[in-house]
Amino acid sequence: MYNVVHIGIVVKDMDKSLKFYTTVLGCALEESYQDERIHLAFIKAGQQTIELIQYQEDGVKVRGAGVVDHIAFAVTDIAAEMDKLRQHNVTLLFDQPKMVNGKKILFFTGPDGERLEFVQIL
């Protein structure tokens, strides 16, 4: 069984969403990241983390995602987990894990095309 690391939610206005989640719901901003294509904010809600995602372009339409973008699971050995996914003919969204903010990440799809993610914290 995997522990959920975070759930990614697509937002239209990061500032408005951050204000809502921190002011109204009392969540705490832990980390944020931004580049030319995406703005991410990780907020703490009790023991859980929510990842707010604002695409600079309409990434939702490109991928066909809804408001819930993905669910991320913690793993200790992402290479072994990749092998397991391949053994089960799971569709990987990229060939090798990517490094993001000191974490290895790997996106893949569930049986109905839902996006899932493995995260290995280094």
Side-chain angles (χ1 to χ4, degrees):
M1 179 184 305
Y2 301 103
N3 287 324
V4 172
V5 176
H6 64 261
I7 296 175
I9 299 174
V10 177
V11 300
K12 294 178 183 175
D13 182 328
M14 183 62 75
D15 293 333
K16 183 178 177 181
S17 293
L18 276 174
K19 184 175 181 179
F20 173 80
Y21 281 94
T22 57
T23 304
V24 177
L25 298 182
C27 299
L29 176 64
E30 287 194 312
E31 179 182 1
S32 67
Y33 168 83
Q34 186 170 0
D35 64 23
E36 65 279 350
R37 63 176 197 86
I38 199 164
H39 185 181
L40 306 174
F42 293 87
I43 57 173
K44 200 69 168 172
Q47 298 299 312
Q48 302 301 312
T49 299
I50 298 169
E51 177 185 23
L52 302 178
I53 305 161
Q54 180 182 353
Y55 291 99
Q56 304 306 339
E57 296 178 12
D58 200 348
V60 175
K61 286 185 181 174
V62 171
R63 283 199 342 274
V67 175
V68 174
D69 185 82
H70 66 278
I71 300 172
F73 298 91
V75 298
T76 56
D77 184 347
I78 205 162
E81 297 298 338
M82 262 184 90
D83 290 341
K84 182 178 176 182
L85 292 174
R86 285 185 174 126
Q87 289 171 7
H88 290 284
N89 297 315
V90 173
T91 302
L92 305 179
L93 299 184
F94 32 89
D95 294 333
Q96 294 298 318
K98 295 184 180 186
M99 286 294 298
V100 177
N101 292 343
K103 303 170 192 139
K104 284 185 180 181
I105 66 168
L106 176 71
F107 282 94
F108 57 99
T109 60
D112 291 307
E114 67 274 21
R115 280 183 9 126
L116 303 170
E117 177 185 16
F118 280 154
V119 177
Q120 179 182 342
I121 299 172
L122 302 175

